Amino acid sequence: RRIDGPVQLIWTREDDLQHDYYRPMATSQLEAVVSADGKVQAWQHDVAAIATAPHNFIIASRTDGSGNFVAHLGADETNYTFGNFLARGSFLDTPLKVGILRGISHGYTNFAGEVFIDELAEKSGKDPIDFRFRNMSETSRGYRVLEKLQQLVGGADVPQGYHMGIGYGFEGTANSNYQYHNAVAAYVRRTPEGGVRVEKIVAVFDHGFVVNRECFKRQVEGGVMFALSMMFYDKITVAEGAVIESNFDSYRI
């Protein structure tokens, strides 16, 4: 109103990287009891993370601790049919502003859970997809997503030197219409230099009724790219109270 001319309201990339919300640091500890036939009889997932409540996007959730759900979602629910289930969270207050990154906390809670599922499958001598089938309802949407993934990659000969990793993601209470199911397979090999290279990713999604398929496809591709970026390159470094990374020359996508 007071300035006779345009006012730029868009943040610069430097403002965006150095003054935005950051994903909270987190760690998970998991324990399970598995029967001889590959059924999980008991499951426990403990998450410790930076508290998200003080910076929650819902102002009323900033003072009563309820805003910490952003830091532990994905650990406190499952689409698997475990016999006994326990999830717990511990949260540390820090001055660093933390919050949501694309999929709230499911990125690290699902990651921890699915890595553990793979470990349980290997210890039980089961195929990783078959082990998941044994611990899911055959009538669930998640089961059908895994079936489709199995059709796409099952039985395929993995080239020598490659490893196929399987992951299943789930968001939303099982009895709710708010559900997203994702199943992904990645073909990975070690490079001669001792690094790791992801050669191919196969992804299957059931997100309900999709209005704009092209937009959804871009969301999927963007999610894959950001996941790979975070796995191999991305990090935020805080020194003397300030974030060092400022643009894509220091924050690689």
Side-chain angles (χ1 to χ4, degrees):
R1 287 180 179 180
R2 297 178 181 178
I3 297 175
D4 183 18
V7 178
Q8 179 173 323
L9 300 178
I10 300 174
W11 284 18
T12 65
R13 181 65 63 191
E14 286 74 15
D15 285 340
D16 182 46
L17 276 174
Q18 296 182 314
H19 300 283
D20 209 342
Y21 285 73
Y22 304 100
R23 166 163 283 187
M25 289 192 294
T27 184
S28 289
Q29 179 174 305
L30 295 102
E31 298 181 77
V33 176
V34 183
S35 64
D37 62 349
K39 292 282 290 180
V40 176
Q41 303 297 320
W43 175 276
Q44 179 172 321
H45 190 166
D46 290 305
V47 180
I50 294 178
T52 55
H55 315 288
N56 194 264
F57 53 94
I58 303 172
I59 296 177
S61 300
R62 294 180 180 178
T63 56
D64 62 2
S66 61
N68 282 328
F69 76 90
V70 173
H72 67 73
L73 279 180
D76 60 347
E77 61 181 1
T78 177
N79 205 33
Y80 295 106
T81 53
F82 297 144
N84 297 279
F85 179 86
L86 175 64
R88 299 182 295 187
S90 299
F91 309 103
L92 175 69
D93 289 327
T94 74
L96 189 65
K97 192 165 62 172
V98 293
I100 290 175
L101 174 61
R102 289 184 80 100
I104 313 186
S105 53
H106 292 79
Y108 53 81
T109 55
N110 269 339
F111 172 79
E114 288 298 298
V115 168
F116 192 48
I117 285 284
D118 277 341
E119 292 175 351
L120 296 176
E122 183 177 4
K123 197 172 185 64
S124 302
K126 309 292 185 192
D127 173 83
I129 294 184
D130 179 62
F131 185 84
R132 288 170 171 83
F133 281 150
R134 292 168 184 264
N135 290 284
M136 297 178 73
S137 168
E138 293 185 17
T139 60
S140 68
R141 289 166 59 187
Y143 193 98
R144 293 195 296 272
V145 165
L146 273 175
E147 275 189 320
K148 184 64 176 179
L149 182 69
Q150 188 180 48
Q151 293 171 11
L152 295 173
V153 303
D157 293 328
V158 179
Q160 187 174 3
Y162 285 74
H163 173 77
M164 185 191 294
I166 303 293
Y168 167 72
F170 163 75
E171 181 175 352
T173 306
N175 297 322
S176 167
N177 291 323
Y178 180 74
Q179 289 191 41
Y180 304 100
H181 302 268
N182 320 299
V184 179
Y187 292 82
V188 183
R189 67 175 175 86
R190 290 202 173 274
T191 64
E193 298 76 28
V196 175
R197 183 176 180 85
V198 179
E199 293 284 357
K200 181 180 179 180
I201 288 181
V202 180
V204 179
F205 296 83
D206 174 7
H207 286 203
F209 183 76
V210 177
V211 176
N212 188 326
R213 290 172 177 250
E214 184 60 31
C215 182
F216 182 78
K217 179 182 176 183
R218 293 178 185 182
Q219 285 286 315
V220 169
E221 292 173 346
V224 170
M225 293 304 297
F226 274 95
L228 292 174
S229 298
M230 286 183 286
M231 184 183 299
F232 289 112
Y233 308 118
D234 291 358
K235 65 178 179 179
I236 290 294
T237 309
V238 180
E240 298 182 358
V243 172
I244 294 176
E245 289 75 23
S246 62
N247 211 313
F248 291 138
D249 59 339
S250 52
Y251 187 81
R252 179 176 175 181
I253 300 295

